[in-house]
Amino acid sequence: MKIVTNPREMQNISRSLIVGGKTIGFVPTMGYLHAGHLSLVKASRAENDFTVVSIFVNPTQFAPNEDFSKYPRDMEKDEKLLVEEGVDYLFYPSATDIYPSGFETYVEQEKIAHTFEGEFRPTHFRGVTTIVSILFNIVQPTKAYFGQKDAQQCAVLSRMVKDLWFPVEMVVCPIVREEDGLALSSRNVYLNKMERQEALILSKTIEFAKNLIREGERDTNTISTLAMENLEKPVSAKPDYFLVVKYDSFESVEKLEPGEKYFLLAACSIGKTRLIDNAIITV
Ligand code: PAF
């Protein structure tokens, strides 16, 4: 695996691969890799000639009160995992190479980025759309791989790729979970033993909501209210939202319609750690 830190060098490598008729699969990450990230790498390796993984803890997607400085990092372990997975290039730029002094151009989405997660983290998606645009321009991937755990991020980025005509195919891979149901996240490392147990409330509440729907409940207000009551049961839990939105547009609905596909979205702090989870359901 070649480690590339210089953005221009990475861009030149990608260009020569493309000129040589090769396809490039790209997995953008913030490091501290787990089996969820590795499932994206595996998918990319299976579908492309070359795989590029980036590790960059992107400062612009964290608000001042969030966990940028203490976001977990373990470069040595990440490198080892990526070598084992047969990754071709690790792109590992510095913050000053990506955001040099004088940087002032951001990509801002108007609608989806300002709902749900966007209401709780108002500047988050602006940081995500900006960094992913920069990374796409450097890496020039044929296909880019993202995890469904960040469902709204996937919706925001798919819209951006469409609106701005990025020549990239977005691939969304399923959530990877621990055996007991907890969705894998680099932030799970913050949880103490009790919180780790209580964090199961997210996946359990999603199952609870799925059951309500299976039993015939179609009113999304009722589903959200009952799910929120469930989410706030553990001592350490402070739920932000439980929502049912349309699968394609991420719009809220009042009534679920037969044959339609929806996302069930949960966001809840467990102690000081904010976690999200989701599931797709067809009614
Ligand atoms: O999902 C993430 O890890 C990040 O939001 C991403 C897409 C790598 C952008 O920094």
Side-chain angles (χ1 to χ4, degrees), residues 28-30 37 54 56 58 61 71 124 127-128 131-132 135 146 150 153 157:
T29 81
M30 299 207 298
H37 298 109
S54 65
F56 181 67
N58 174 37
Q61 70 191 73
Y71 194 82
H124 172 66
V128 172
I131 187 62
V132 172
L135 292 170
F146 295 88
D150 298 304
Q153 169 170 280
L157 292 174

Side-chain angles (χ1 to χ4, degrees), residues 156-177:
V156 165
L157 292 174
S158 297
R159 188 71 241 175
M160 178 189 86
V161 161
K162 207 169 172 188
D163 290 348
L164 300 185
W165 285 83
F166 279 103
V168 180
E169 186 185 324
M170 293 283 295
V171 183
V172 178
C173 298
I175 299 180
V176 179
R177 295 180 182 279

Side-chain angles (χ1 to χ4, degrees), residues 43-57:
S44 170
R45 291 255 301 133
E47 296 173 1
N48 301 278
D49 298 322
F50 286 85
T51 289
V52 179
V53 174
S54 65
I55 295 184
F56 181 67
V57 185

Side-chain angles (χ1 to χ4, degrees), residues 63 65-66 108 113-114 116-127:
N65 62 331
E66 291 180 353
E108 176 125 29
H114 294 285
F116 320 134
E117 274 301 282
E119 278 172 46
F120 288 88
R121 308 182 69 192
T123 56
H124 172 66
F125 286 123
R126 178 185 194 248

Side-chain angles (χ1 to χ4, degrees), residues 208-226 242-246 251-264 281-283:
F208 165 81
K210 272 188 183 168
N211 279 335
L212 288 177
I213 296 167
R214 282 191 201 112
E215 284 160 13
E217 185 56 66
R218 295 289 176 267
D219 184 278
T220 58
N221 236 327
T222 309
I223 298 165
S224 295
T225 308
L226 294 174
F242 190 98
L243 296 160
V244 190
V245 301
K246 281 191 190 168
E251 285 164 336
S252 343
V253 281
E254 279 176 21
K255 282 256 167 311
L256 302 181
E257 300 294 341
E260 291 296 318
K261 219 167 158 184
Y262 300 93
F263 269 116
L264 305 177
I281 186 161
T282 304
V283 177

